[in-house]
Amino acid sequence: MRVAAVALAAVALAGCTSTKTGTGTESPQAPSSTRPTSTSVRPPSSTPATTTPATSSSASRTSPPLLPPAERIFSAMTLRQRVGQLLMVDCPTSGPTGATQQAITQYHVGSVILDGTSYAGSNEIAAVARQVQGLAPKGVPLLVSTDQEGGIVQRLQGPGFTRIPAATEQGTVAPSTLRRRTQDWAAELRRAGVTVDLAPVLDVVPAGFGANPPVGDLQREYGNTPAAVTSHGVAVVRGLAAAGVAATVKHFPGLGRVRGNTDVSGGVTDTVTTSGDAFLQPFRAAIDAGVPFVMMSTADYSHLDPGVPAAFSYRIVTGLLRSQLGFGGVVISDDIGNAAQVANYSPGERAVRFVAAGGDVVLTVVAGQAQEMTAALVNRARSDPAFRRLVNASALRVLRAKQALGLLH
């Protein structure tokens, strides 16, 4: 769970026709099936449409079908560029550091998280967003995200940003009211250049549970029952989508029944959650509502995959989230750059383990780790065809999310 760390239900805008040309030497390979995790992509044809008047021999000739922008851009990308789409790195709300700039321009990183609370207001954040977008390759903008939950977890404040109440207070109003308010809050984000909100929190902290450092102690829960969290969490997902901001539900499969915060403590373990647990209902409902992003917890879950952080668990990411709950969108990690829970793994191993488990976007609040993480992912993809297929599927999934947000023009 990132304290310091958005659904857009398939909002694809028409008229996107841009392409991106790869500059490396790797031969592009598209995913090999039509399933969400491995989608067949055909490279664009260079044959021009015929202008010959139709005759008996040419009447059946037609122009080759145009690929959607995501597929077209993906087909032109090198392996390194595809791997870059699998990373989200830190960008301070005050502006990109040298490490952030290098991650984008040299390692092709495709997403950033605006981190650190800013009181400068919307105009300043919009300027920062424009600055980082100016570093991205033409035609392939970044996903710009932040934590805008409410309460003490509201990274963007000041003029142009409404002060959002904590989730515990949001949970006291009718879901329809919360949806309308969220749409207004999300419109502020979109005007400032933010396209992904790393919210809402769908973890359920039972009444009387006691200390719960990552969620309950910080008033990040909408209620104390799966029903309450479901109704209000889905309202937030829909409100964000209505304003053109992608929601990220978190922290799957839940941090509401743990005693430690994975950001600052190791060995955090959930000893109760099962694959049929009622506390998974908020995530199931959000998936049914079309949420585009799900964030993985890094806690261990003794009844699901003992001793393996959820973000690194094939059983949890692919088995439970994708197969059992049917999620076909983008799976993003909680921070694995600076979290104590995963400190025993090298940065490169963290990235490889997450993607191998079925994840798509590696989130690190240490932008300087981009070099090691991308190198590890590229090397594994070059040596392991099955892993390369996972990389291809994830890169395409991220590009489709960008297309749905209207970013690919």
Side-chain angles (χ1 to χ4, degrees), residues 70 72 77 83 109 124 165 177 205 219 249 261 277 333-334 375 377 381:
R72 202 160 59 245
M77 280 182 161
V83 163
V109 164
E124 178 68 22
T177 300
V205 183
Q219 300 183 317
V249 297
N261 182 337
D277 205 299
S333 74
D334 201 346
L377 291 168

Side-chain angles (χ1 to χ4, degrees), residues 246-263:
T248 306
V249 297
K250 59 189 185 183
H251 310 81
F252 189 84
L255 285 174
R257 294 177 287 185
V258 299
R259 299 294 185 184
N261 182 337
T262 56
D263 285 344

